[in-house]
Amino acid sequence: MSDMRKIYIACLLLSCMATAATAQTYDIIERRNSWNAGANVTGIMMDSVTTSYAELYGNNHHGDFRNSYEAEKSWSAGAVAKSITHLKSYSLTGSFSFDHTSGKNMSGSMFIHPGFYPVDLLEFTPGRKNLQTYAFMGGIATDIAPNWRLGGKVDFAASNYSKRKDLRHTNYRLDLTVAPSVMYHSGELAIGFSYIFNKNSESVKAEVIGTAETSYNAFLDKGLMYGAYEAWNGSGIHLSESGINGFPIKELSHGAALQLQWKGFYGEFGYTHSSGSAGEREAIWFKFPTHRIASRLSYRFKQGNKEHFLRLNLQWSHLANNENVTSKETVNGITTTHVHGSNRIFEKDAFFANPEYELLSPRGEFRAGSELSVFKSLATQMYPYIASEKMLCSRTYISSVLHTGKFDLKAAVSFSTGSFTEKSRTVGTSTEPGDPPYRLTDEYNLRNEYATATHATFQLGLRYHFNKGIYAEVQGSYTHGFNLNHIEGSSRWNETVKLGYTF
């Protein structure tokens, strides 16, 4: 892309944002009620506007500015429908979505959401991968007394992931959240409480069809890209364990959240404890408990016919991963796994902050904010070697929509940057230490560069409203990375087409 073209796009985006305006879409109605972003579904009754939409979409992604597990070229298509409905004595909210994504020449992480769990599995044979995701959410809230409300929400998602070229693999992932809630309200005061239960799990099943001329290797990342690199069916990878179907991993969480609203102020504070494990039955290879704290603060005020929103989201988590020391004993054809103890191999602290401002007026909306993430990781996979890492990532964004007649002209721009530092050392020992644990250095450098690379993203979109709530939309975005050393290229493009109906 020439310099003149970049300058032209930037000027066009800024001119659009200077005159931003939009119609009252589903997203605006959902965001203006701060309760909708939290766990307490009874908060939907703090608003009275009924809104729904259904949409079909298609996406196309291409370019070399990407993570190691992403495809250079990929496409996706799907459908989504969402609704908030208010009736006489109760309110309903719900959504349904389906997405199919396909990418060429993909390798790297075998998980559906790389980085979600403290361990990762990597393979190195490029091939096509297909991902299908089904999700639905349903919630209901009702008045049970003059000042009391009761409700509950269920959020469910299921995914299928497959690669059909050796080393091939098939994944199944489930994610379920249940949150019963209660609210007391009187005048401009409202107090809520929610119990939160979550269960997520994923199973990675790898295989090779036929007789391979060469052995396919895999890598088990146990933290900071230290781990086991060997044949995919080796004992250190856990992809081919006797009596276990693939590599199963799961997390079970219990938590609670407290909400408070007084006039234009809203606040939520929640705590969740998760118990995670990899393996099944007696063969548990890893256990990783996690503590999470999250808070959401917002303030809403009016100025004539304009509405202003100030928001601040904060999150903190601490994860510790313990690797079990196991042995197997076979007696009369029956194999039993014994756990002799465990070693702390990885710890991670994560902090996230997101301040945001939003303006709504009869003519439109404008949003601006920033995201700051701080990660501190400690890998102690093998005594006496210790590796620590501190990573800082930031992102600043501005977005707006110009609503004029039957057209919505959308524009957004964001700028991201970051840095990381790493330290390695050995603790004091009277004997000569052995070889350090194996590290996949190239992968470590590429992932860290992608997470911290300075890059800018520009986006433009145009929506046309037909009669009776039907609309069509096209979007395009361009991302450019700067000063790259490990990522193949500096450009990434995305095109999107949508057809929807609001009712």
Side-chain angles (χ1 to χ4, degrees):
M1 176 182 287
S2 67
D3 293 337
M4 290 300 298
R5 188 179 176 187
K6 295 177 185 177
I7 295 173
Y8 173 75
I9 293 176
C11 292
L12 181 60
L13 287 166
L14 293 175
S15 65
C16 292
M17 290 183 286
T19 57
T22 186
Q24 293 290 305
T25 63
Y26 177 93
D27 291 339
I28 297 174
I29 294 173
E30 183 184 44
R31 286 200 314 272
R32 74 181 187 182
N33 182 2
S34 299
W35 290 80
N36 290 334
N40 195 322
V41 71
T42 62
I44 62 175
M45 302 187 75
M46 303 299 287
D47 200 351
S48 59
V49 178
T50 293
T51 179
S52 306
Y53 83 97
E55 184 177 271
L56 300 174
Y57 64 86
N59 293 319
N60 183 48
H61 306 268
H62 52 100
D64 288 328
F65 184 74
R66 56 190 174 90
N67 216 324
S68 61
Y69 47 80
E70 294 179 316
E72 179 184 357
K73 296 180 180 180
S74 67
W75 64 269
S76 62
V80 58
K82 295 183 178 182
S83 177
I84 298 175
T85 304
H86 300 281
L87 302 175
K88 185 176 180 179
S89 59
Y90 61 94
S91 298
L92 302 169
T93 181
S95 66
F96 169 80
S97 65
F98 168 77
D99 180 90
H100 178 94
T101 300
S102 180
K104 294 181 178 180
N105 298 322
M106 296 180 66
S107 59
S109 177
M110 302 170 72
F111 279 106
I112 294 175
H113 301 299
F116 185 90
Y117 297 111
V119 295
D120 198 359
L121 290 164
L122 286 78
E123 50 85 21
F124 308 98
T125 309
R128 177 179 290 277
K129 292 188 179 184
N130 295 309
L131 171 64
Q132 292 184 337
T133 302
Y134 310 80
F136 74 84
M137 180 272 292
I140 183 172
T142 183
D143 292 311
I144 58 174
N147 298 101
W148 290 91
R149 290 169 177 162
L150 186 67
K153 182 169 68 173
V154 177
D155 204 335
F156 175 82
S159 301
N160 303 318
Y161 195 34
S162 64
K163 180 186 179 184
R164 298 305 181 189
K165 183 177 180 180
D166 296 336
L167 174 68
R168 61 189 62 199
H169 63 88
T170 304
N171 298 32
Y172 301 97
R173 179 181 173 87
L174 295 175
D175 200 322
L176 172 68
T177 301
V178 179
S181 304
V182 64
M183 176 197 289
Y184 170 81
H185 62 97
S186 178
E188 295 183 301
L189 174 68
I191 301 175
F193 177 81
S194 304
Y195 165 73
I196 305 169
F197 169 80
N198 173 267
K199 181 181 180 181
N200 57 77
S201 63
E202 186 169 351
S203 176
V204 182
K205 183 179 180 181
E207 60 180 342
V208 174
I209 302 300
T211 302
E213 296 181 359
T214 60
S215 176
Y216 293 98
N217 292 333
F219 178 73
L220 175 60
D221 174 22
K222 301 180 182 181
L224 301 183
M225 282 298 154
Y226 288 100
Y229 178 81
E230 57 186 71
W232 73 273
N233 53 0
S235 60
I237 304 294
H238 303 302
L239 278 171
S240 182
E241 293 274 351
S242 177
I244 299 178
N245 187 20
F247 187 101
I249 190 168
K250 63 181 180 180
E251 192 177 47
L252 191 67
S253 304
H254 298 273
L258 181 67
Q259 302 87 22
L260 171 66
Q261 178 176 336
W262 183 69
K263 295 185 178 180
F265 172 81
Y266 170 84
E268 180 180 62
F269 177 83
Y271 168 78
T272 303
H273 178 265
S274 303
S275 299
S277 63
E280 63 183 10
R281 295 189 288 272
E282 299 90 359
I284 302 298
W285 311 308
F286 304 97
K287 287 189 175 182
F288 45 95
T290 306
H291 301 274
R292 297 183 177 95
I293 296 175
S295 66
R296 296 180 178 88
L297 303 174
S298 67
Y299 181 66
R300 173 183 179 181
F301 63 96
K302 292 187 177 182
Q303 221 176 30
N305 57 3
K306 299 179 180 179
E307 285 187 290
H308 302 262
F309 298 84
L310 298 173
R311 304 184 180 100
L312 177 62
N313 297 330
L314 300 172
Q315 297 178 23
W316 172 87
S317 65
H318 173 77
L319 176 145
N321 189 18
N322 302 295
E323 183 175 21
N324 288 333
V325 179
T326 64
S327 65
K328 294 183 179 180
E329 181 183 14
T330 302
V331 179
N332 296 328
I334 300 175
T335 301
T336 304
T337 301
H338 300 281
V339 178
H340 303 284
S342 63
N343 296 318
R344 178 68 53 87
I345 64 170
F346 184 69
E347 291 185 58
K348 185 175 184 179
D349 289 299
F351 174 77
F352 174 80
N354 174 211
E356 183 182 78
Y357 166 75
E358 182 172 8
L359 169 65
L360 298 179
S361 73
R363 295 196 60 207
E365 75 176 294
F366 172 83
R367 297 177 72 186
S370 62
E371 298 173 345
L372 176 66
S373 302
V374 180
F375 306 96
K376 294 182 179 180
S377 303
L378 181 67
T380 55
Q381 184 184 147
M382 182 185 298
Y383 181 84
Y385 298 97
I386 297 176
S388 61
E389 179 192 85
K390 183 176 181 180
M391 179 180 291
L392 174 67
C393 304
S394 65
R395 173 177 174 265
T396 302
Y397 58 90
I398 300 174
S399 66
S400 66
V401 181
L402 172 64
H403 178 66
T404 171
K406 291 188 175 183
F407 289 93
D408 292 339
L409 179 59
K410 302 182 178 183
V413 60
S414 66
F415 179 81
S416 303
T417 189
S419 63
F420 73 94
T421 57
E422 183 196 15
K423 295 181 180 179
S424 300
R425 59 187 175 92
T426 58
V427 298
T429 176
S430 58
T431 60
E432 184 69 20
D435 294 333
Y438 180 83
R439 184 178 222 184
L440 205 61
T441 305
D442 291 343
E443 181 74 16
Y444 174 79
N445 292 334
L446 195 154
R447 287 200 186 187
N448 278 13
E449 182 174 72
Y450 185 83
T452 60
T454 299
H455 62 278
T457 299
F458 305 94
Q459 180 176 326
L460 282 176
L462 180 65
R463 174 178 291 192
Y464 179 77
H465 296 270
F466 299 93
N467 295 328
K468 299 182 180 180
I470 300 174
Y471 65 86
E473 181 176 340
V474 292
Q475 290 184 4
S477 68
Y478 169 72
T479 299
H480 185 82
F482 304 90
N483 302 320
L484 305 175
N485 296 315
H486 303 284
I487 300 175
E488 291 184 7
S490 59
S491 298
R492 187 75 171 173
W493 297 88
N494 174 57
E495 300 86 30
T496 302
V497 178
K498 297 180 180 180
L499 179 64
Y501 173 57
T502 59
F503 54 96

